[in-house]
Amino acid sequence: MEENRPLERLYELGLVVGSTVNLDHETAAFTEWLSRASEVTLAALFITAEDGQALQLVQTIGFPLPAETTLPLGMDPWRWLKERGVRTLQEDNLCRYAVPLVIEQELLGILCVVSCRSGEDLEREQRLVSTAANYLAVVLRNIRRYQALEERMAEVERLNRALSDLLDDLQAANRNLEATAARLRDANEELEAFAYSVSHDLRAPLRAMEGFAQALLEDYAGELDPQGEDYARRIMRAAQRMDRLIQDLLAYSRVSRMEIRRSPVRLRQAIEEALGNLAEEIQARGAQVAIEEPLPTVLAHRSVLVQAVTNLLSNAVKFVAHGVQPRVRIWAEERGERVRLWVEDNGIGIAPEHHERIFRVFERLHGVETYPGTGIGLAIVRKGVERMGGQVGVESEVGQGSRFWVELDRPSRQAWGNQGQT
Ligand code: ADP
Protein backbone atom coordinates (compact mmCIF):
# COMPACT_ATOMS: atom_id res chain seq x y z
CA MET A 1 0.00 0.00 0.00
CA GLU A 2 1.17 3.46 -0.71
CA GLU A 3 1.02 4.90 2.81
CA ASN A 4 0.56 8.52 1.83
CA ARG A 5 -2.44 7.95 -0.36
CA PRO A 6 -5.22 6.69 1.93
CA LEU A 7 -7.68 9.33 0.69
CA GLU A 8 -7.25 8.21 -2.89
CA ARG A 9 -7.82 4.63 -1.81
CA LEU A 10 -11.01 5.57 -0.03
CA TYR A 11 -12.11 7.57 -3.05
CA GLU A 12 -11.63 4.44 -5.15
CA LEU A 13 -13.66 2.48 -2.61
CA GLY A 14 -16.50 4.95 -3.07
CA LEU A 15 -16.37 4.40 -6.82
CA VAL A 16 -16.66 0.60 -6.70
CA VAL A 17 -18.76 -0.03 -3.59
CA GLY A 18 -22.26 1.33 -2.87
CA SER A 19 -23.65 1.67 -6.38
CA THR A 20 -26.01 -1.36 -6.24
CA VAL A 21 -28.39 -3.03 -3.79
CA ASN A 22 -26.91 -6.48 -4.42
CA LEU A 23 -25.21 -7.79 -1.27
CA ASP A 24 -22.97 -10.34 -3.06
CA HIS A 25 -21.87 -7.77 -5.59
CA GLU A 26 -21.05 -5.14 -2.97
CA THR A 27 -19.12 -7.48 -0.63
CA ALA A 28 -17.16 -8.92 -3.58
CA ALA A 29 -16.33 -5.40 -4.79
CA PHE A 30 -15.22 -4.51 -1.25
CA THR A 31 -12.82 -7.47 -0.84
CA GLU A 32 -11.48 -6.86 -4.33
CA TRP A 33 -10.76 -3.25 -3.34
CA LEU A 34 -9.25 -4.43 -0.04
CA SER A 35 -6.79 -6.76 -1.76
CA ARG A 36 -5.81 -3.97 -4.14
CA ALA A 37 -5.59 -1.16 -1.55
CA SER A 38 -3.71 -2.97 1.20
CA GLU A 39 -1.28 -5.76 1.62
CA VAL A 40 -3.44 -8.07 3.61
CA THR A 41 -2.41 -11.69 3.14
CA LEU A 42 -5.70 -13.07 4.43
CA ALA A 43 -9.16 -11.65 5.07
CA ALA A 44 -12.56 -13.06 6.01
CA LEU A 45 -15.72 -10.94 5.72
CA PHE A 46 -18.59 -12.12 7.93
CA ILE A 47 -22.07 -10.63 7.59
CA THR A 48 -24.79 -10.90 10.28
CA ALA A 49 -27.52 -13.27 9.15
CA GLU A 50 -31.09 -11.95 8.57
CA ASP A 51 -32.31 -13.26 11.94
CA GLY A 52 -29.32 -11.71 13.74
CA GLN A 53 -28.46 -15.06 15.37
CA ALA A 54 -25.33 -16.00 13.38
CA LEU A 55 -22.55 -14.67 11.20
CA GLN A 56 -22.19 -15.73 7.60
CA LEU A 57 -18.80 -15.88 5.91
CA VAL A 58 -19.42 -14.25 2.51
CA GLN A 59 -16.02 -13.22 1.05
CA THR A 60 -12.41 -14.33 1.58
CA ILE A 61 -8.93 -13.25 0.60
CA GLY A 62 -6.06 -15.74 0.69
CA PHE A 63 -8.12 -18.88 1.15
CA PRO A 64 -11.14 -20.43 -0.58
CA LEU A 65 -14.70 -20.14 0.85
CA PRO A 66 -15.20 -23.27 3.00
CA ALA A 67 -18.26 -25.50 2.53
CA GLU A 68 -19.56 -24.54 5.92
CA THR A 69 -20.03 -20.73 6.20
CA THR A 70 -22.20 -20.18 9.29
CA LEU A 71 -20.57 -19.03 12.48
CA PRO A 72 -22.69 -19.03 15.68
CA LEU A 73 -22.91 -15.59 17.22
CA GLY A 74 -20.50 -15.17 20.15
CA MET A 75 -17.92 -17.63 18.87
CA ASP A 76 -14.35 -16.38 18.24
CA PRO A 77 -14.05 -16.02 14.44
CA TRP A 78 -10.31 -16.79 14.53
CA ARG A 79 -10.95 -20.06 16.28
CA TRP A 80 -13.76 -20.86 13.88
CA LEU A 81 -11.46 -20.20 10.88
CA LYS A 82 -8.68 -22.28 12.43
CA GLU A 83 -11.08 -25.20 12.91
CA ARG A 84 -11.78 -25.02 9.18
CA GLY A 85 -8.08 -25.35 8.33
CA VAL A 86 -7.43 -21.67 7.66
CA ARG A 87 -3.92 -20.61 8.69
CA THR A 88 -4.44 -17.51 10.76
CA LEU A 89 -1.70 -17.89 13.31
CA GLN A 90 0.43 -14.86 13.84
CA GLU A 91 3.76 -15.68 12.32
CA ASP A 92 6.92 -13.69 12.82
CA ASN A 93 6.11 -10.91 10.46
CA LEU A 94 2.34 -11.24 10.41
CA CYS A 95 -0.28 -9.40 12.44
CA ARG A 96 -4.00 -10.15 12.66
CA TYR A 97 -6.90 -7.92 13.69
CA ALA A 98 -10.71 -7.89 13.50
CA VAL A 99 -12.84 -4.85 12.66
CA PRO A 100 -16.54 -4.92 13.62
CA LEU A 101 -19.01 -3.52 11.07
CA VAL A 102 -21.21 -1.54 13.47
CA ILE A 103 -23.69 1.22 12.85
CA GLU A 104 -25.91 2.75 15.52
CA GLN A 105 -25.12 -0.18 17.85
CA GLU A 106 -26.23 -2.72 15.26
CA LEU A 107 -23.63 -5.35 14.42
CA LEU A 108 -23.77 -5.89 10.67
CA GLY A 109 -20.65 -8.05 10.36
CA ILE A 110 -16.96 -8.59 11.19
CA LEU A 111 -13.92 -8.21 8.99
CA CYS A 112 -10.95 -10.38 10.01
CA VAL A 113 -7.63 -9.39 8.53
CA VAL A 114 -4.11 -10.87 8.60
CA SER A 115 -1.54 -8.36 7.46
CA CYS A 116 2.19 -8.47 6.81
CA ARG A 117 2.53 -4.85 7.90
CA SER A 118 3.94 -3.79 11.20
CA GLY A 119 4.59 -0.70 13.22
CA GLU A 120 3.32 2.60 11.77
CA ASP A 121 2.50 0.96 8.46
CA LEU A 122 0.23 -1.44 10.26
CA GLU A 123 -1.46 1.38 12.18
CA ARG A 124 -2.07 3.31 8.94
CA GLU A 125 -3.49 0.19 7.30
CA GLN A 126 -5.74 -0.46 10.28
CA ARG A 127 -7.08 3.09 10.11
CA LEU A 128 -7.81 2.73 6.41
CA VAL A 129 -9.44 -0.70 6.82
CA SER A 130 -11.47 0.53 9.77
CA THR A 131 -12.78 3.56 7.79
CA ALA A 132 -13.55 1.31 4.82
CA ALA A 133 -15.37 -1.16 7.11
CA ASN A 134 -17.50 1.71 8.47
CA TYR A 135 -18.38 2.70 4.93
CA LEU A 136 -19.26 -0.92 4.08
CA ALA A 137 -21.46 -1.06 7.18
CA VAL A 138 -23.45 1.93 5.87
CA VAL A 139 -23.77 0.27 2.45
CA LEU A 140 -24.90 -3.03 4.03
CA ARG A 141 -27.47 -1.31 6.20
CA ASN A 142 -28.88 0.52 3.20
CA ILE A 143 -29.13 -2.76 1.29
CA ARG A 144 -30.94 -4.36 4.26
CA ARG A 145 -33.34 -1.43 4.44
CA TYR A 146 -33.94 -1.51 0.74
CA GLN A 147 -34.66 -5.24 0.87
CA ALA A 148 -37.09 -4.77 3.77
CA LEU A 149 -38.78 -2.00 1.83
CA GLU A 150 -39.00 -4.19 -1.22
CA GLU A 151 -40.57 -6.98 0.83
CA ARG A 152 -43.11 -4.58 2.23
CA MET A 153 -43.87 -3.22 -1.21
CA ALA A 154 -44.34 -6.76 -2.49
CA GLU A 155 -46.66 -7.43 0.45
CA VAL A 156 -48.62 -4.26 -0.27
CA GLU A 157 -48.82 -5.27 -3.92
CA ARG A 158 -50.04 -8.75 -2.93
CA LEU A 159 -52.65 -7.19 -0.67
CA ASN A 160 -53.64 -4.81 -3.44
CA ARG A 161 -54.06 -7.68 -5.86
CA ALA A 162 -56.11 -9.66 -3.31
CA LEU A 163 -58.24 -6.58 -2.69
CA SER A 164 -58.81 -5.98 -6.37
CA ASP A 165 -59.69 -9.70 -6.82
CA LEU A 166 -62.14 -9.36 -3.97
CA LEU A 167 -63.61 -6.27 -5.56
CA ASP A 168 -63.95 -8.12 -8.87
CA ASP A 169 -65.71 -10.99 -7.09
CA LEU A 170 -67.98 -8.58 -5.31
CA GLN A 171 -68.82 -6.77 -8.52
CA ALA A 172 -69.54 -10.07 -10.26
CA ALA A 173 -71.74 -11.17 -7.35
CA ASN A 174 -73.50 -7.81 -7.49
CA ARG A 175 -74.07 -8.13 -11.21
CA ASN A 176 -75.48 -11.62 -10.66
CA LEU A 177 -77.73 -10.33 -7.92
CA GLU A 178 -78.93 -7.48 -10.10
CA ALA A 179 -79.61 -9.86 -12.99
CA THR A 180 -81.51 -12.21 -10.68
CA ALA A 181 -83.49 -9.32 -9.22
CA ALA A 182 -84.32 -8.09 -12.73
CA ARG A 183 -85.42 -11.59 -13.79
CA LEU A 184 -87.52 -11.87 -10.65
CA ARG A 185 -89.08 -8.47 -11.30
CA ASP A 186 -89.88 -9.44 -14.89
CA ALA A 187 -91.34 -12.78 -13.80
CA ASN A 188 -93.42 -11.04 -11.13
CA GLU A 189 -94.69 -8.44 -13.52
CA GLU A 190 -95.55 -11.13 -16.04
CA LEU A 191 -97.33 -13.14 -13.38
CA GLU A 192 -99.26 -10.11 -12.17
CA ALA A 193 -100.23 -9.15 -15.72
CA PHE A 194 -101.29 -12.74 -16.35
CA ALA A 195 -103.34 -12.89 -13.14
CA TYR A 196 -104.92 -9.57 -14.02
CA SER A 197 -105.97 -10.60 -17.53
CA VAL A 198 -107.13 -14.06 -16.40
CA SER A 199 -109.18 -12.53 -13.57
CA HIS A 200 -110.65 -10.08 -15.98
CA ASP A 201 -111.54 -12.73 -18.54
CA LEU A 202 -113.07 -14.96 -15.85
CA ARG A 203 -115.70 -12.37 -14.95
CA ALA A 204 -117.58 -12.60 -18.29
CA PRO A 205 -118.47 -16.34 -18.09
CA LEU A 206 -119.28 -15.85 -14.40
CA ARG A 207 -121.73 -13.11 -15.20
CA ALA A 208 -123.26 -15.43 -17.83
CA MET A 209 -123.66 -18.18 -15.19
CA GLU A 210 -125.27 -15.79 -12.77
CA GLY A 211 -127.54 -14.35 -15.47
CA PHE A 212 -128.73 -17.74 -16.71
CA ALA A 213 -129.36 -19.00 -13.18
CA GLN A 214 -131.42 -15.87 -12.59
CA ALA A 215 -133.27 -16.41 -15.88
CA LEU A 216 -133.97 -19.97 -14.82
CA LEU A 217 -135.49 -18.76 -11.55
CA GLU A 218 -137.55 -16.02 -13.18
CA ASP A 219 -138.60 -17.52 -16.53
CA TYR A 220 -139.19 -21.09 -15.29
CA ALA A 221 -140.55 -20.21 -11.89
CA GLY A 222 -143.58 -22.45 -12.24
CA GLU A 223 -141.79 -25.40 -13.79
CA LEU A 224 -138.89 -25.87 -11.31
CA ASP A 225 -139.56 -27.98 -8.24
CA PRO A 226 -138.13 -26.63 -4.88
CA GLN A 227 -134.90 -28.63 -5.32
CA GLY A 228 -134.38 -27.20 -8.81
CA GLU A 229 -134.91 -23.69 -7.46
CA ASP A 230 -132.43 -24.35 -4.64
CA TYR A 231 -129.82 -25.51 -7.17
CA ALA A 232 -130.35 -22.42 -9.31
CA ARG A 233 -129.97 -20.17 -6.22
CA ARG A 234 -126.79 -21.96 -5.20
CA ILE A 235 -125.37 -21.44 -8.68
CA MET A 236 -126.15 -17.75 -8.38
CA ARG A 237 -124.59 -17.42 -4.93
CA ALA A 238 -121.48 -19.33 -5.97
CA ALA A 239 -121.10 -17.15 -9.07
CA GLN A 240 -121.52 -14.00 -6.95
CA ARG A 241 -118.93 -15.18 -4.44
CA MET A 242 -116.49 -15.99 -7.18
CA ASP A 243 -117.11 -12.57 -8.73
CA ARG A 244 -116.35 -10.97 -5.34
CA LEU A 245 -113.14 -12.97 -5.09
CA ILE A 246 -112.06 -11.96 -8.56
CA GLN A 247 -112.86 -8.30 -7.92
CA ASP A 248 -110.79 -8.35 -4.74
CA LEU A 249 -107.94 -10.09 -6.54
CA LEU A 250 -108.09 -7.43 -9.23
CA ALA A 251 -107.96 -4.74 -6.54
CA TYR A 252 -104.90 -6.43 -5.01
CA SER A 253 -103.29 -6.69 -8.41
CA ARG A 254 -104.04 -3.03 -9.08
CA VAL A 255 -102.45 -1.85 -5.85
CA SER A 256 -99.38 -3.99 -6.63
CA ARG A 257 -98.96 -2.59 -10.12
CA MET A 258 -100.09 1.01 -9.96
CA GLU A 259 -97.62 3.86 -9.89
CA ILE A 260 -97.35 5.18 -6.35
CA ARG A 261 -96.98 8.96 -6.02
CA ARG A 262 -96.79 10.25 -2.48
CA SER A 263 -98.04 13.65 -1.43
CA PRO A 264 -99.22 15.13 1.88
CA VAL A 265 -102.65 13.71 2.76
CA ARG A 266 -104.75 14.86 5.72
CA LEU A 267 -105.57 11.77 7.78
CA ARG A 268 -108.87 13.26 8.88
CA GLN A 269 -110.07 13.54 5.27
CA ALA A 270 -108.87 10.06 4.32
CA ILE A 271 -110.75 8.59 7.32
CA GLU A 272 -113.91 10.49 6.49
CA GLU A 273 -113.77 9.26 2.90
CA ALA A 274 -113.34 5.68 4.13
CA LEU A 275 -116.30 6.09 6.49
CA GLY A 276 -118.32 7.40 3.53
CA ASN A 277 -117.50 4.21 1.59
CA LEU A 278 -118.77 2.15 4.54
CA ALA A 279 -121.78 4.30 5.51
CA GLU A 280 -124.31 1.60 4.68
CA GLU A 281 -122.43 -1.15 6.49
CA ILE A 282 -121.88 1.00 9.56
CA GLN A 283 -125.52 1.89 9.73
CA ALA A 284 -126.67 -1.68 9.16
CA ARG A 285 -124.54 -2.93 12.04
CA GLY A 286 -125.36 0.02 14.29
CA ALA A 287 -121.63 0.64 14.75
CA GLN A 288 -120.23 3.54 16.73
CA VAL A 289 -117.07 5.16 15.38
CA ALA A 290 -115.05 7.64 17.49
CA ILE A 291 -112.37 9.71 15.79
CA GLU A 292 -109.85 11.35 18.11
CA GLU A 293 -107.93 14.48 17.23
CA PRO A 294 -105.23 15.49 16.55
CA LEU A 295 -104.93 13.69 13.23
CA PRO A 296 -101.81 14.92 11.42
CA THR A 297 -100.94 14.90 7.76
CA VAL A 298 -99.02 11.97 6.27
CA LEU A 299 -97.09 11.33 3.08
CA ALA A 300 -99.22 8.90 1.07
CA HIS A 301 -100.90 8.02 -2.19
CA ARG A 302 -104.37 9.28 -1.39
CA SER A 303 -106.55 6.55 -2.96
CA VAL A 304 -104.30 3.75 -1.62
CA LEU A 305 -104.50 5.19 1.89
CA VAL A 306 -108.30 5.54 1.69
CA GLN A 307 -108.55 1.93 0.50
CA ALA A 308 -106.35 0.71 3.39
CA VAL A 309 -108.35 2.61 6.02
CA THR A 310 -111.63 1.40 4.44
CA ASN A 311 -110.51 -2.23 4.70
CA LEU A 312 -109.40 -1.84 8.33
CA LEU A 313 -112.66 -0.12 9.33
CA SER A 314 -114.74 -2.68 7.44
CA ASN A 315 -113.05 -5.50 9.39
CA ALA A 316 -113.40 -3.58 12.66
CA VAL A 317 -117.18 -3.43 12.36
CA LYS A 318 -117.46 -6.94 10.83
CA PHE A 319 -115.50 -9.20 13.17
CA VAL A 320 -117.61 -8.58 16.24
CA ALA A 321 -119.42 -11.24 18.29
CA HIS A 322 -123.08 -11.71 17.56
CA GLY A 323 -125.31 -9.26 19.42
CA VAL A 324 -122.47 -6.89 20.34
CA GLN A 325 -122.58 -3.31 19.11
CA PRO A 326 -119.34 -2.60 17.18
CA ARG A 327 -117.38 0.27 18.73
CA VAL A 328 -114.41 1.60 16.80
CA ARG A 329 -111.83 4.11 17.98
CA ILE A 330 -109.44 5.87 15.61
CA TRP A 331 -106.45 7.98 16.67
CA ALA A 332 -102.95 8.85 15.58
CA GLU A 333 -99.61 8.95 17.30
CA GLU A 334 -96.49 10.81 16.17
CA ARG A 335 -93.34 8.67 16.26
CA GLY A 336 -90.34 10.75 15.19
CA GLU A 337 -90.44 11.17 11.45
CA ARG A 338 -93.48 8.90 11.21
CA VAL A 339 -97.16 8.87 12.11
CA ARG A 340 -98.94 5.75 13.35
CA LEU A 341 -102.67 5.53 12.75
CA TRP A 342 -104.54 3.17 15.09
CA VAL A 343 -107.90 1.46 14.42
CA GLU A 344 -109.20 -0.23 17.57
CA ASP A 345 -112.33 -2.39 17.80
CA ASN A 346 -114.23 -4.32 20.46
CA GLY A 347 -114.41 -7.41 18.25
CA ILE A 348 -113.55 -11.07 18.61
CA GLY A 349 -109.79 -10.47 18.60
CA ILE A 350 -107.01 -12.48 16.95
CA ALA A 351 -104.66 -15.00 18.55
CA PRO A 352 -101.02 -13.71 18.44
CA GLU A 353 -99.84 -16.70 16.35
CA HIS A 354 -102.09 -15.46 13.51
CA HIS A 355 -100.99 -11.83 13.58
CA GLU A 356 -98.58 -12.30 10.68
CA ARG A 357 -100.48 -14.65 8.41
CA ILE A 358 -103.75 -12.69 8.28
CA PHE A 359 -101.94 -10.14 6.09
CA ARG A 360 -101.40 -12.75 3.38
CA VAL A 361 -103.73 -13.28 0.42
CA PHE A 362 -106.66 -15.68 1.12
CA GLU A 363 -105.73 -16.15 4.79
CA ARG A 364 -108.92 -16.21 6.88
CA LEU A 365 -109.50 -17.42 10.40
CA HIS A 366 -113.22 -18.15 9.97
CA GLY A 367 -115.62 -19.77 7.52
CA VAL A 368 -117.57 -17.58 5.10
CA GLU A 369 -120.77 -18.61 6.83
CA THR A 370 -119.65 -17.04 10.13
CA TYR A 371 -118.07 -13.89 8.73
CA PRO A 372 -118.31 -13.12 5.01
CA GLY A 373 -115.18 -12.10 3.14
CA THR A 374 -112.51 -13.18 0.68
CA GLY A 375 -109.33 -12.97 2.75
CA ILE A 376 -107.76 -10.30 0.55
CA GLY A 377 -108.60 -7.10 2.44
CA LEU A 378 -105.56 -7.07 4.74
CA ALA A 379 -103.22 -8.21 1.93
CA ILE A 380 -104.30 -5.07 0.05
CA VAL A 381 -103.65 -2.96 3.18
CA ARG A 382 -100.14 -4.33 3.61
CA LYS A 383 -99.20 -4.17 -0.07
CA GLY A 384 -100.49 -0.59 -0.41
CA VAL A 385 -98.87 0.68 2.80
CA GLU A 386 -95.54 -0.97 2.04
CA ARG A 387 -95.56 0.50 -1.45
CA MET A 388 -96.00 3.92 0.19
CA GLY A 389 -92.88 3.22 2.28
CA GLY A 390 -94.84 2.40 5.44
CA GLN A 391 -95.55 -0.55 7.71
CA VAL A 392 -98.59 -2.31 9.15
CA GLY A 393 -99.22 -4.45 12.21
CA VAL A 394 -101.72 -5.56 14.80
CA GLU A 395 -101.94 -5.95 18.56
CA SER A 396 -104.66 -8.33 19.66
CA GLU A 397 -105.74 -11.27 21.84
CA VAL A 398 -108.72 -13.53 21.32
CA GLY A 399 -111.83 -11.98 22.88
CA GLN A 400 -110.17 -8.67 23.67
CA GLY A 401 -110.68 -6.68 20.51
CA SER A 402 -107.96 -5.71 18.01
CA ARG A 403 -105.78 -2.69 17.37
CA PHE A 404 -104.50 -2.48 13.82
CA TRP A 405 -101.90 0.16 12.98
CA VAL A 406 -100.54 1.75 9.84
CA GLU A 407 -97.32 3.74 10.00
CA LEU A 408 -96.40 6.29 7.34
CA ASP A 409 -93.84 9.05 6.86
CA ARG A 410 -94.63 12.58 7.82
CA PRO A 411 -94.25 15.00 4.92
CA SER A 412 -90.95 16.90 5.00
CA ARG A 413 -90.96 20.68 4.56
CA GLN A 414 -89.83 20.10 1.00
CA ALA A 415 -92.84 17.87 0.21
CA TRP A 416 -95.12 20.50 1.71
CA GLY A 417 -93.61 23.10 -0.51
CA ASN A 418 -93.56 21.05 -3.69
CA GLN A 419 -96.94 19.47 -3.67
CA GLY A 420 -100.37 20.60 -2.75
CA GLN A 421 -102.11 18.86 0.11
CA THR A 422 -104.83 16.40 -0.84
P1 ADP B 1 -111.65 -10.77 5.01
O1 ADP B 1 -112.03 -9.62 5.87
O2 ADP B 1 -112.15 -10.67 3.64
O3 ADP B 1 -111.87 -12.08 5.65
P2 ADP B 1 -108.98 -9.81 5.48
O4 ADP B 1 -107.77 -10.03 4.70
O5 ADP B 1 -109.46 -8.42 5.64
O6 ADP B 1 -110.08 -10.70 4.81
O7 ADP B 1 -108.77 -10.43 6.91
C1 ADP B 1 -108.18 -11.69 7.04
C2 ADP B 1 -108.64 -12.34 8.31
O8 ADP B 1 -108.10 -11.68 9.43
C3 ADP B 1 -110.10 -12.30 8.52
O9 ADP B 1 -110.75 -13.34 7.85
C4 ADP B 1 -110.21 -12.43 10.02
O10 ADP B 1 -110.11 -13.77 10.38
C5 ADP B 1 -109.00 -11.71 10.51
N1 ADP B 1 -109.31 -10.31 10.89
C6 ADP B 1 -109.11 -9.22 10.14
N2 ADP B 1 -109.49 -8.10 10.81
C7 ADP B 1 -109.94 -8.51 12.01
C8 ADP B 1 -110.48 -7.83 13.16
N3 ADP B 1 -110.60 -6.50 13.21
N4 ADP B 1 -110.84 -8.59 14.23
C9 ADP B 1 -110.71 -9.92 14.19
N5 ADP B 1 -110.22 -10.61 13.15
C10 ADP B 1 -109.85 -9.92 12.06
Side-chain angles (χ1 to χ4, degrees):
M1 182 168 78
E2 293 168 50
E3 298 81 0
N4 51 354
R5 299 175 65 190
L7 271 179
E8 277 164 51
R9 295 285 176 245
L10 286 173
Y11 175 72
E12 277 170 24
L13 176 71
L15 288 182
V16 294
V17 172
S19 57
T20 77
V21 287
N22 182 316
L23 196 108
D24 289 341
H25 177 273
E26 294 304 310
T27 53
F30 177 82
T31 40
E32 223 170 81
W33 169 86
L34 188 63
S35 55
R36 265 190 284 114
S38 66
E39 286 180 24
V40 300
T41 58
L42 188 142
L45 176 61
F46 294 92
I47 299 290
T48 314
E50 289 281 339
D51 60 6
Q53 295 307 307
L55 288 169
Q56 206 79 42
L57 179 60
V58 291
Q59 301 291 343
T60 59
I61 297 175
F63 69 99
L65 205 63
E68 153 90 80
T69 56
T70 309
L71 158 69
L73 208 64
M75 185 173 176
D76 175 11
W78 296 115
R79 215 184 97 204
W80 185 85
L81 287 168
K82 194 176 157 212
E83 279 171 12
R84 267 140 204 92
V86 183
R87 280 203 62 210
T88 60
L89 273 183
Q90 239 170 323
E91 288 163 13
D92 290 350
N93 55 348
L94 291 181
C95 164
R96 73 180 192 192
Y97 55 92
V99 185
L101 274 60
V102 174
I103 187 159
E104 283 162 10
Q105 294 177 344
E106 186 187 354
L107 180 71
L108 291 152
I110 293 174
L111 176 64
C112 295
V113 176
V114 177
S115 170
C116 55
R117 298 263 152 174
S118 60
E120 275 185 25
D121 282 352
L122 178 66
E123 273 172 31
R124 254 196 299 276
E125 182 193 87
Q126 279 178 337
R127 271 201 301 277
L128 177 75
V129 171
S130 165
T131 311
N134 281 341
Y135 176 68
L136 182 65
V138 173
V139 171
L140 291 182
R141 191 185 58 173
N142 285 347
I143 291 176
R144 285 265 155 90
R145 283 184 175 173
Y146 179 82
Q147 282 169 347
L149 205 70
E150 244 186 356
E151 269 167 32
R152 269 160 76 176
M153 268 164 64
E155 181 63 28
V156 168
E157 227 166 83
R158 261 198 305 283
L159 281 174
N160 254 346
R161 264 200 304 279
L163 214 67
S164 115
D165 286 354
L166 207 70
L167 215 71
D168 285 350
D169 287 354
L170 219 67
Q171 274 169 349
N174 239 347
R175 275 196 298 277
N176 273 345
L177 214 67
E178 270 169 23
T180 312
R183 274 202 299 280
L184 213 65
R185 250 195 325 270
D186 288 352
N188 245 345
E189 274 172 22
E190 226 169 85
L191 207 68
E192 275 170 11
F194 176 72
Y196 187 80
S197 74
V198 166
S199 308
H200 221 268
D201 294 350
L202 278 176
R203 291 195 71 198
L206 260 187
R207 272 198 299 271
M209 275 166 64
E210 195 189 337
F212 283 119
Q214 179 126 31
L216 212 59
L217 282 170
E218 286 172 5
D219 301 352
Y220 295 84
E223 290 166 50
L224 284 176
D225 63 6
Q227 183 137 35
E229 268 186 29
D230 183 44
Y231 286 162
R233 278 206 185 84
R234 282 179 191 225
I235 294 174
M236 258 181 72
R237 274 203 302 275
Q240 278 163 356
R241 171 151 176 78
M242 189 146 173
D243 193 45
R244 184 78 248 147
L245 271 168
I246 290 172
Q247 278 190 47
D248 282 359
L249 263 181
L250 283 171
Y252 178 76
S253 177
R254 221 171 291 127
V255 101
S256 312
R257 289 151 54 88
M258 72 189 289
E259 191 188 342
I260 297 290
R261 283 224 199 97
R262 296 194 305 170
S263 61
V265 179
R266 281 203 190 101
L267 270 180
R268 174 99 210 176
Q269 286 190 358
I271 293 164
E272 276 170 3
E273 204 174 320
L275 287 172
N277 293 340
L278 296 168
E280 249 177 65
E281 214 171 315
I282 290 173
Q283 208 189 4
R285 294 179 192 270
Q288 203 184 71
V289 181
I291 306 172
E292 288 176 16
E293 290 284 355
L295 288 166
T297 297
V298 293
L299 204 54
H301 186 112
R302 186 186 169 77
S303 64
V304 175
L305 177 61
V306 171
Q307 171 85 72
V309 178
T310 305
N311 291 6
L312 290 180
L313 286 173
S314 160
N315 283 348
V317 297
K318 181 169 64 170
F319 292 102
V320 178
H322 193 68
V324 174
Q325 184 199 17
R327 274 200 305 277
V328 183
R329 205 179 129 226
I330 306 169
W331 77 97
E333 178 195 356
E334 301 212 7
R335 296 165 73 99
E337 293 305 301
R338 298 200 140 196
V339 172
R340 188 175 272 202
L341 175 71
W342 291 90
V343 177
E344 184 187 73
D345 62 46
N346 61 336
I348 54 174
I350 306 156
E353 64 265 30
H354 301 314
H355 287 186
E356 171 57 31
R357 80 174 175 98
I358 52 169
F359 287 97
R360 291 189 221 131
V361 176
F362 293 143
E363 292 284 357
R364 308 199 72 232
L365 305 178
H366 314 92
V368 198
E369 310 75 37
T370 334
Y371 294 103
T374 55
I376 301 173
L378 287 181
I380 291 177
V381 174
R382 177 155 80 177
K383 175 65 87 178
V385 170
E386 283 181 355
R387 290 206 64 208
M388 292 188 293
Q391 280 177 307
V392 293
V394 63
E395 289 176 2
S396 181
E397 291 281 351
V398 175
Q400 297 184 10
S402 307
R403 282 178 183 185
F404 279 84
W405 57 263
V406 164
E407 202 171 283
L408 291 166
D409 286 332
R410 285 200 318 195
S412 62
R413 270 174 214 288
Q414 212 179 359
W416 277 93
N418 290 347
Q419 289 145 348
Q421 216 176 117
T422 51

